[in-house]
Amino acid sequence: SRPDEGHTIVVTFTKIADKKVYPLMEQAEYCLTLSELDEVEGQYGDRLVWKFLVSLPSHPFDYIARDDGEEKTLWAFTDTEIIIGSLAHQFAEALTGRTLGKDDDPPNEDDLVGKRCLAYITHETPTRGKSAGKTRETIVQGSLKPFKGPAKPTARNGRAPAPPADEQDRVALVAQAEQAIGR
């Protein structure tokens, strides 16, 4: 005899929810910081996955957060070989800040991870694959360039001079507004 014989089992589902959708960033130029570089095997063979943290160029260390508080990341997939003109080549040149020719040694992971570049982010809607019909952010090929951060004034003792009190209030308000906009 089965233990559930004569007993009714009731399963209750909660309401059906869509997959969490995060709002898209505005289409603009952003500062990208390479946080990870991984090699994966996909349907097209071995690929590199470039994972970038995103920030405004004016505040390269203030990474944009999703509405759940996690840092926004953009992923890009490329071949494992750096072919002149390819997206991998553009990433390597922009992140290292040097031109890479045919006979140059390719950069290694340590030369790239933690480095910054500028790139234009736009929206795309794939027509095929598991992401078909879902609009997402993408990095515009040809828009990548090295990041040259804002100059930090330093005093003779090595510390940055403090701005005047009224300027401190303005700087704090601007930072709060930009952080609110970034969310």
Side-chain angles (χ1 to χ4, degrees):
S1 138
R2 292 181 11 177
D4 63 342
E5 240 177 67
H7 294 88
T8 304
I9 298 175
V10 177
V11 176
T12 306
F13 291 100
T14 59
K15 85 175 204 178
I16 297 173
D18 287 333
K19 183 179 174 186
K20 178 72 175 156
V21 176
Y22 296 101
L24 297 175
M25 297 183 313
E26 286 185 37
Q27 298 181 80
E29 185 175 65
Y30 290 91
C31 178
L32 304 179
T33 303
L34 185 64
S35 60
E36 291 181 55
L37 183 60
D38 294 321
E39 190 171 332
V40 297
E41 188 175 326
Q43 77 182 68
Y44 302 109
D46 289 341
R47 309 284 286 161
L48 287 180
V49 182
W50 305 72
K51 298 176 185 177
F52 292 97
L53 297 173
V54 183
S55 60
L56 297 174
S58 59
H59 293 84
F61 299 101
D62 295 335
Y63 301 117
I64 295 172
R66 302 183 312 210
D67 61 358
D68 67 356
E70 294 294 316
E71 292 171 331
K72 174 79 176 170
T73 57
L74 285 180
W75 292 22
F77 295 84
T78 67
D79 289 329
T80 56
E81 293 181 18
I82 296 178
I83 298 166
I84 293 179
S86 69
L87 186 56
H89 184 249
Q90 292 174 42
F91 283 144
E93 284 191 334
L95 291 167
T96 62
R98 61 186 176 105
T99 302
L100 299 171
K102 184 178 91 167
D103 297 325
D104 293 333
D105 289 331
N108 62 39
E109 188 175 352
D110 291 337
D111 296 330
L112 301 170
V113 174
K115 300 292 187 335
R116 292 179 167 75
C117 65
L118 295 174
Y120 194 85
I121 305 300
T122 191
H123 302 156
E124 71 174 2
T125 307
T127 57
R128 292 184 290 175
K130 66 180 183 179
S131 297
K134 297 176 188 172
T135 303
R136 62 184 179 198
E137 292 112 350
T138 189
I139 298 167
V140 176
Q141 286 197 42
S143 72
L144 289 138
K145 55 189 173 189
F147 175 74
K148 294 177 177 73
K152 293 183 180 181
T154 56
R156 290 179 193 225
N157 63 6
R159 287 182 289 186
D166 59 334
E167 179 67 9
Q168 288 176 356
D169 294 340
R170 190 191 74 72
V171 169
L173 287 172
V174 168
Q176 287 175 343
E178 285 178 342
Q179 189 171 15
I181 291 169
R183 291 185 185 156

